[in-house]
Amino acid sequence: MSLLREIQGSLMEQGQDIGPILLKLRFLASRLGSGPLAEWVRFESEGYPNEAELPDYRVLGVTYKVDTSGYAGSGMRNAPVPTALIKKFAGEHWVNYEVRQSVASIDSLVSEAKGEGSLNIDASNLMLALQGKIYPNDSIIAVTGSLSVAAMVEIQNAVRSRVLELTIELERQTPFA
């Protein structure tokens, strides 16, 4: 069985993690001498460094909620904050989250989040940028940022799709590979 067919077979198995599949593809990329392919596979396997440009499928929208404290015990819990206000007061980088973790980390996050609709991110520094601007009469005491688990699954699917397209194309171009 060729390595291409083995990779394709692994992609078709239900529940198969992507990490081991990428290791096989990394080996194949080294045999083919393809620099761009090897770099993409390395980044997907090990994570994207800060200086590397991310593919569009790895930039996710973030939703935010705040807890506030007000006069005489008033306040709100889990009050949604429109992303337009986050962008206005804190900047674009707070609205779009760059998922730089390895595919194995994404696999783990998705499997741990079974039954959950979202994953929380650290947004504690955002309190300073929003304080007194969104709810002027209340103090923001907590900010929670959330990423959709479905969006993380879409990253997995995008990587799977790219690997499958690549192996099909390689097989087409070099049928005896």
Side-chain angles (χ1 to χ4, degrees):
M1 174 188 273
S2 76
L3 185 55
L4 286 174
R5 295 243 186 245
E6 189 177 326
I7 291 170
Q8 290 169 346
S10 295
L11 285 169
M12 300 305 161
E13 290 179 28
Q14 191 73 349
Q16 173 75 27
D17 285 342
I18 303 167
I21 296 168
L22 286 175
L23 291 177
K24 292 174 187 175
L25 186 60
R26 192 171 185 177
F27 176 74
L28 181 61
S30 72
R31 301 290 298 275
L32 295 172
S34 173
L37 172 61
E39 182 178 78
W40 177 77
V41 173
R42 182 172 53 88
F43 288 163
E44 290 295 340
S45 297
E46 299 174 4
Y48 283 79
N50 288 334
E51 66 276 0
E53 186 175 338
L54 282 177
D56 290 342
Y57 61 85
R58 281 182 158 265
V59 179
L60 307 181
V62 184
T63 58
Y64 291 97
K65 294 182 179 183
V66 296
D67 293 346
T68 68
S69 176
Y71 177 74
S74 67
M76 296 177 280
R77 300 289 175 257
N78 294 318
V81 179
T83 54
L85 291 178
I86 299 290
K87 187 176 178 180
K88 177 180 176 181
F89 294 122
E92 177 79 33
H93 67 281
W94 283 100
V95 176
N96 295 308
Y97 185 81
E98 295 183 342
V99 182
R100 293 189 171 275
Q101 295 88 338
S102 70
V103 167
S105 294
I106 293 169
D107 287 344
S108 176
L109 287 170
V110 168
S111 69
E112 288 176 14
K114 294 285 187 212
E116 300 287 326
S118 62
L119 299 166
N120 290 336
I121 62 169
D122 179 16
S124 55
N125 287 333
L126 192 54
M127 284 193 310
L128 299 173
L130 301 178
Q131 202 64 259
K133 296 175 182 156
I134 295 186
Y135 299 107
N137 297 325
D138 288 357
S139 295
I140 296 174
I141 57 174
V143 179
T144 304
S146 299
L147 300 172
S148 165
V149 171
M152 298 295 265
V153 170
E154 285 303 315
I155 293 173
Q156 292 175 310
N157 288 335
V159 172
R160 281 183 187 280
S161 177
R162 285 181 176 216
V163 170
L164 183 60
E165 288 172 19
L166 174 74
T167 58
I168 290 170
E169 183 63 23
L170 285 172
E171 192 172 50
R172 188 184 65 74
Q173 289 181 10
T174 55
F176 302 106

